[in-house]
Amino acid sequence: MRRDVTKSAGNRSDLVIGREEPFEAARGQLVGGGSVLLHGPAGIGKSTVLRTLAAEYARTASTVLRCSATESESHLPFLALADLLGLVLDRVSGALPLAQRTALESALTGRGESTLRRDGLALRLAVLSALRALAADGPVLVVADDLQWLDPASTELLGFAARRLGDTPVRLLCAVRTDDQEYDRHLRACPPDTRAIRLGPLTRPQVAELLARQGFPQLSRSTVRDIHRTSGGNPLFALELGRALAESPTPPRPGEPLPVPTSLRALVLSRLEMLSPEARHTLLVASAGARPTPALLHAAGRENAEAETAQATELGLLASDPEEPTLRFAHPLISAALYAEAPAPERRAAHAALSTAASDPIERARHLALATPGTDPGVAARLAEAAALARDRGAPSVAASLGLLAARHTPPDGDPCPDEYRLRAAEDAITAGEADLAREVAREVLARDTTPGRRVRAWMVVIEAAGQAIGEVDAVFPQALADAGDDPRLLALVHYQLAWRGLVVQGDFAQGREEAAHAAELAARAGDRRTELLALAFQAQAETLMGHPDAASTIERAQREPQDPRVACHHNGAGSTRFRWLVMSDRLAEARTILTGLLREVRRRGMAESEVHYLRSLAETELYAGHCGRALELARESLTLARDAGIGEGAGVMLASLAEAAGGDVAQALALGHEAVRHTEADGDAVYLSRALAALGHAHLVAGEAEAAVRALGRVRKLEAGAGITDPARGRWQGDLAEALVRTGRTAEAQEVVDTSRAQALRLGRESVLAVLDRAEALVRAARGERRAAVEQLVSARDRLAALGQGLEEARTAFALAELGEGRPGPGSYDEAVRLFRRCRALPWLRQVEAAAAQRAAGPPPARAAAPDGLAGLAAMERQVAALVMEGATNREAAARLFVSVKTVEATLTRVYRKLGIRSRVDLVRLAAGRREE
């Protein structure tokens, strides 16, 4: 009978955020019969992971023994031993020899003053015998948290037993605090097979998820960024900082550090009491500086900086690195807490000293602002100059911070006025990808400013900050038009955004094109070249996707001089439109050259959203070229940036799904495809919804789920027809839909898709699309028994795709040819398809062709291996996996035989269970047994 002898762990987390990899490693170690030692610094989440693992493993253990020591109790001998064995003493005492029982009872109860010196061997053997006696009833789990505070006597006894347990089913799950990698000495309390697993800091998205799940979802992304930087990714520190912000009546001003709660100050600043007042002031100056060095501290008036910082290093407040001139605090929180602890006059004095000592004009301006209370037009002007310099350096986030400081130091009647600085800061925040900060500042301006020009600019910031979820700010447009009046410059701004609304919200490319053309006309009349260029680029993009005959001439108009440098490299500018046109025209090399140049420029300028967009576009280009491994790397990088900044997540997930289906894991591609559809539907994004569905349909096709592919791609067809998209090179889903229809026996419908798409592709000269459509038509012909014509058409399609540099489609066509040619040696063989897929690093496709080749070589399977009738409704991959499991194969064995990953087998089994209405592999085996009995 399972028995947990202490209270179960409270507040268990169902999701150990950011700890999936170490959690799985620890789980695998425990399930395999081993022990685990979790280690890392204070607050890193060891106890959370330990409690979650203990709760999970306790379900299969007969006995769970727990102890959790504290520093104040570490001097009490045998205390941890009493926690572990005190409640089970009655159960095991009868199994112990008298000498061992007496020694153990004496140690646990405190009677008889047992000691290791007097009863050493008897007591050591008693602990070992007690654990063996408990294990006789079933597996035992020993859970020890804060191992560093275990009293030495208990540590010695636990280690003695652990080293001698052998195959006895006793597993240890321990956690220990370490500030570095030196955890080895704690392994002496664990069995020899113990796996040490270090928990490191969380990433910024993981900190954001942690804060949201713990009740702080209202924090802006820029605030979360500051929390992540200040906490160093430590979850405990991050939560305490988030709580302090939530409870603070006023958020920190731009340039100011986060408020540090008293609990954390005490945790990290206890060693400050050992510093002299002068050394402490030197550290305060260092904490106020962006990149403090001994030379900077000297220039700021700290004459004994070297000696004072050396003392701080000895106390562990500063990190020691002889090769690094910049002083670095041992933890970012030390710097923040030191600054927060200092009185305001001391902080201003530190900034005043740094305002003359710093060599960088941006740093000098920032320190001058933080040293100056109240308004000061001179300081505001210095800050505005520094913001412009930061903007030119490609640091829009810094420019936004400086702009807000300039607004703070500008008198209400100043010229420029404070709101002018605020709006420029909001526009910089948009460039930097800090949409929530931009939105907040724009709303602040709208609450009090009545000037039409500034109000319209503020409305534009609100719309830009909405991103693809532009439908959520529909109510803004009437107000923006009212504020614009009859001013053509302001009206051009509003109509440009109305073009995006027509495209994204209503999915109407024709309406978007008309609004963009109107915006370009208004902007030209007003002499606003920047808005005119953006509107022309939008018009050209819409015409390209619509297959409009004016697309090329509009692109030419958008590229005429004079150009605005920021528009030229913007992801909604003419350069991006030209790239899209080249890709759709199969000029991949030119497209890649243009795109790499655009990516380099937006990175130089710090244009976060454009960087995300261009990384995604470059990944798409590499996919078409058949460089699947490179495409996967770029797609993952783009998605990481998108999630981090909250920019274009739906589009990023969509492209990542396509990349995973081509060069990664099919199960992951399916998961990402579903996520992309959810994202775009939630945003009301009609533009990317069809592309998300196309990615999902493609993933279903690669996974062998033809019916699901037809459903998803059928929706794409309806959406694009309704939106007026006629160019089949936009999403390139038509060949997939026709192939899926052939696989489900609907050859007439497949031929109709081919015919309709071919007419548009011929009109627009889309050569690669035509070749893919020929491949699909060849599959239709093969299904109708026209084998010779199908082979000829496939050979032609393969050769044309090779000439166009469409590597992945060339390989897919070679695979279809090998299937049709029955795998005979030569250019139409499986070997040729394998070679091409390997060249592309198209791993999911490579597994398919290798499995097909192996199956062809093995001949038809014996009758007993045929799938039971109950599997008839499953997809091909699902039937194969289910059949192998029915034969007794493990997930790993099934994965090896099918040339897929274990994760793919697991995901496929989950779908099998759902479709068959069963719950486990045991039910599947029973189903097989029942079929055999019939």
Side-chain angles (χ1 to χ4, degrees):
M1 179 179 71
R2 191 188 68 193
R3 181 177 179 184
D4 189 341
V5 298
T6 64
K7 292 188 297 182
S8 63
N11 300 319
R12 254 194 349 253
S13 171
D14 292 329
L15 176 63
V16 185
I17 296 171
R19 303 303 185 204
E20 292 79 9
E21 187 173 335
F23 186 86
E24 286 302 320
R27 172 192 277 162
Q29 177 75 356
L30 289 171
V31 170
S35 296
V36 172
L37 175 67
L38 303 169
H39 65 100
I44 204 68
K46 302 180 298 297
S47 296
T48 301
V49 175
L50 180 137
R51 286 195 301 268
T52 307
L53 283 167
E56 181 175 305
Y57 193 81
R59 292 194 290 268
T60 60
S62 295
T63 304
V64 179
L65 309 175
R66 288 190 172 89
C67 71
S68 182
T70 63
E71 185 176 10
S72 61
E73 298 170 341
S74 60
H75 66 287
L76 299 174
F78 306 121
L79 185 61
L81 188 66
D83 287 342
L84 290 172
L85 298 178
L87 296 179
V88 295
L89 184 58
D90 292 342
R91 285 178 57 193
V92 300
S93 60
L96 303 181
L98 179 59
Q100 294 180 23
R101 181 168 69 244
T102 302
L104 184 59
E105 289 176 349
S106 176
L108 297 183
T109 62
R111 295 191 297 271
E113 298 184 357
S114 177
T115 67
L116 280 176
R117 180 183 296 274
R118 192 180 71 185
D119 301 321
L121 182 59
L123 194 50
R124 288 175 172 84
L125 293 174
V127 174
L128 177 60
S129 299
L131 292 174
R132 285 173 172 166
L134 291 170
D137 296 332
V140 176
L141 177 65
V142 178
V143 183
D145 200 0
D146 282 317
L147 200 62
Q148 74 277 3
W149 302 132
L150 255 66
D151 61 274
S154 296
T155 301
E156 166 62 24
L157 291 169
L158 191 59
F160 177 87
R163 290 190 294 272
R164 290 163 175 80
L165 285 167
D167 294 333
T168 307
V170 177
R171 303 294 169 248
L172 270 67
L173 174 59
C174 307
V176 62
R177 180 188 301 179
T178 53
D179 292 325
D180 49 37
Q181 296 288 347
E182 295 178 3
Y183 57 85
D184 294 6
R185 63 189 181 89
H186 298 288
L187 287 172
R188 66 188 183 192
C190 304
D193 65 347
T194 299
R195 179 172 180 178
I197 298 175
R198 181 172 177 79
L199 300 185
L202 300 181
T203 64
R204 191 195 306 178
Q206 290 165 350
V207 166
E209 183 181 358
L210 175 68
L211 291 165
R213 286 181 174 271
Q214 293 297 321
F216 307 113
Q218 75 284 1
L219 297 173
S220 68
R221 289 183 183 273
S222 56
T223 301
V224 171
R225 178 197 62 199
D226 292 340
I227 289 176
H228 176 257
R229 184 181 63 246
T230 304
S231 68
N234 185 296
L236 173 64
F237 296 172
L239 287 173
E240 289 299 312
L241 290 168
R243 187 172 292 108
L245 278 170
E247 295 172 353
S248 175
T250 56
R253 291 175 174 177
E256 293 182 346
L258 299 176
V260 180
T262 304
S263 58
L264 292 186
R265 293 189 201 182
L267 180 64
V268 300
L269 297 180
S270 58
R271 286 163 287 185
L272 278 180
E273 297 175 358
M274 303 174 67
L275 286 175
S276 67
E278 287 298 307
R280 181 165 179 156
H281 190 72
T282 295
L283 284 193
L284 172 62
V285 176
S287 72
R291 293 173 297 278
T293 62
L296 178 66
L297 294 178
H298 271 291
R302 309 312 300 166
E303 297 178 356
N304 299 315
E306 284 86 352
E308 290 163 352
T309 55
Q311 184 186 4
T313 301
E314 290 177 4
L315 292 172
L317 294 166
L318 293 176
S320 176
D321 188 350
E323 298 181 1
E324 176 57 52
T326 302
L327 297 172
R328 185 169 57 86
F329 284 86
H331 192 282
L333 190 61
I334 297 175
S335 174
L338 178 65
Y339 187 93
E341 186 82 1
E346 290 186 17
R347 291 202 296 262
R348 283 198 295 270
H351 286 295
L354 289 168
S355 69
T356 58
S359 59
D360 186 85
I362 292 176
E363 278 300 294
R364 288 200 301 269
R366 185 180 75 88
H367 287 302
L368 179 62
L370 295 174
T372 307
T375 60
D376 187 321
V379 171
R382 287 272 301 276
L383 287 164
E385 293 171 2
L389 181 57
R391 205 173 294 124
D392 290 341
R393 288 182 180 178
S397 179
V398 174
S401 176
L402 292 167
L404 292 176
L405 279 172
R408 173 181 154 193
H409 284 83
T410 302
D413 58 351
D415 184 21
C417 69
D419 282 343
E420 190 66 33
Y421 287 129
R422 290 189 182 96
L423 280 173
R424 193 67 184 94
E427 290 161 354
D428 284 328
I430 287 289
T431 301
E434 298 180 7
D436 42 11
L437 174 62
R439 186 186 302 111
E440 179 185 336
V441 174
R443 294 289 188 190
E444 186 181 348
V445 171
L446 288 165
R448 60 167 172 263
D449 202 311
T450 58
T451 307
R454 286 195 288 270
R455 288 187 63 81
V456 171
R457 281 176 64 192
W459 288 126
M460 296 305 99
V461 169
V462 171
I463 294 169
E464 288 277 0
Q468 295 299 113
I470 194 172
E472 296 178 0
V473 293
D474 247 3
V476 163
F477 288 98
Q479 300 176 72
L481 285 169
D483 284 328
D486 58 0
D487 185 327
R489 182 178 63 85
L490 300 180
L491 284 171
L493 292 171
V494 180
H495 281 281
Y496 173 67
Q497 295 296 348
L498 281 169
W500 280 107
R501 180 187 176 278
L503 185 65
V504 174
V505 177
Q506 298 177 306
D508 191 331
F509 277 69
Q511 180 183 339
R513 174 182 176 273
E514 290 175 11
E515 288 284 5
H518 185 40
E521 180 186 343
L522 288 166
R525 194 191 317 164
D528 181 0
R529 184 60 172 163
R530 179 181 185 278
T531 303
E532 182 188 7
L533 289 169
L534 285 170
L536 285 171
F538 181 101
Q539 181 183 343
Q541 183 102 319
E543 289 173 352
T544 298
L545 297 176
M546 293 169 66
H548 196 283
D550 293 344
S553 62
T554 307
I555 291 175
E556 183 183 346
R557 286 175 60 200
Q559 291 185 311
R560 287 176 189 163
E561 296 294 338
Q563 286 288 318
D564 182 306
R566 297 187 69 81
V567 174
C569 65
H570 194 277
H571 63 280
N572 289 328
S576 178
T577 302
R578 169 75 176 165
F579 154 76
R580 178 58 54 190
W581 185 82
L582 287 169
V583 167
M584 295 172 69
S585 302
D586 300 319
R587 294 161 67 176
L588 298 182
E590 290 179 67
R592 186 186 293 108
T593 300
I594 284 181
L595 197 57
T596 51
L598 290 169
L599 181 59
R600 183 168 54 249
E601 181 63 15
V602 298
R603 280 175 166 165
R604 188 185 72 79
R605 293 177 177 271
M607 300 168 68
E609 185 173 4
S610 293
E611 180 180 359
V612 169
H613 181 92
Y614 288 143
L615 279 171
R616 188 171 66 237
S617 298
L618 190 55
E620 185 179 4
T621 306
E622 299 296 358
L623 269 184
Y624 293 146
H627 306 150
C628 299
R630 176 62 176 153
L632 187 59
E633 292 173 3
L634 289 165
R636 287 171 175 172
E637 182 181 356
S638 175
L639 181 56
T640 298
L641 288 175
R643 291 194 194 280
D644 197 17
I647 298 172
E649 287 188 67
V653 175
M654 174 274 297
L655 205 284
S657 174
L658 287 172
E660 288 286 351
D665 184 87
V666 179
Q668 181 70 359
L670 285 167
L672 288 167
H674 284 292
E675 184 183 347
V677 173
R678 289 195 301 271
H679 259 296
T680 51
E681 286 180 334
D683 288 344
D685 183 354
V687 173
Y688 272 106
L689 176 58
S690 62
R691 297 214 61 191
L693 285 165
L696 177 60
H698 179 73
H700 279 304
L701 185 67
V702 178
E705 301 169 355
E707 191 59 53
V710 169
R711 288 194 297 271
L713 297 172
R715 284 187 65 190
V716 178
R717 192 182 189 191
K718 291 178 181 177
L719 284 169
E720 292 205 351
I725 300 172
T726 61
D727 194 331
R730 189 249 179 173
R732 301 174 185 260
W733 48 266
Q734 297 82 1
D736 282 349
L737 175 56
E739 184 174 337
L741 287 167
V742 170
R743 291 188 189 183
T744 56
R746 287 173 271 186
T747 53
E749 192 175 345
Q751 187 64 55
E752 191 270 331
V753 169
V754 170
D755 292 342
T756 304
S757 303
R758 180 181 281 140
Q760 298 292 352
L762 283 168
R763 179 176 67 85
L764 297 167
R766 303 306 191 210
E767 293 298 329
S768 65
V769 173
L770 287 168
V772 168
L773 291 173
D774 278 358
R775 181 181 70 215
E777 186 174 55
L779 297 177
V780 174
R781 287 179 167 176
R784 292 172 176 170
E786 304 169 19
R787 183 180 174 282
R788 183 184 296 275
V791 168
E792 291 176 358
Q793 197 166 17
L794 284 173
V795 169
S796 172
R798 181 199 60 195
D799 294 345
R800 284 148 54 205
L801 287 166
L804 290 167
Q806 298 273 342
L808 183 58
E809 295 296 352
E810 177 195 357
R812 286 182 62 180
T813 310
F815 185 18
L817 191 59
E819 291 279 78
L820 203 56
E822 299 180 358
R824 296 189 184 95
S829 68
Y830 284 123
D831 287 345
E832 175 66 6
V834 166
R835 183 186 70 81
L836 291 174
F837 280 129
R838 280 183 177 160
R839 184 184 68 183
C840 294
R841 288 179 59 191
L843 301 182
W845 290 104
L846 183 61
R847 295 180 190 115
Q848 284 195 39
V849 69
E850 287 178 339
Q855 185 175 354
R856 184 68 57 85
R864 67 178 183 84
D869 294 342
L871 306 186
L874 301 180
M877 175 65 76
E878 292 168 350
R879 287 197 301 272
Q880 292 175 13
V881 171
L884 288 171
V885 171
M886 285 178 166
E887 293 175 5
T890 65
N891 289 359
R892 189 170 298 279
E893 290 168 344
R897 291 174 65 178
L898 294 175
F899 300 96
V900 298
S901 69
V902 176
K903 286 186 177 179
T904 299
V905 171
E906 291 170 349
T908 304
L909 274 177
T910 300
R911 295 195 298 273
V912 169
Y913 298 157
R914 184 175 65 249
K915 290 182 178 181
L916 296 182
I918 59 180
R919 302 176 65 180
S920 69
R921 64 191 300 118
V922 175
D923 295 335
L924 194 57
V925 172
R926 287 173 179 165
L927 177 63
R931 296 283 176 186
R932 284 193 290 269
E933 290 172 4
E934 292 173 8

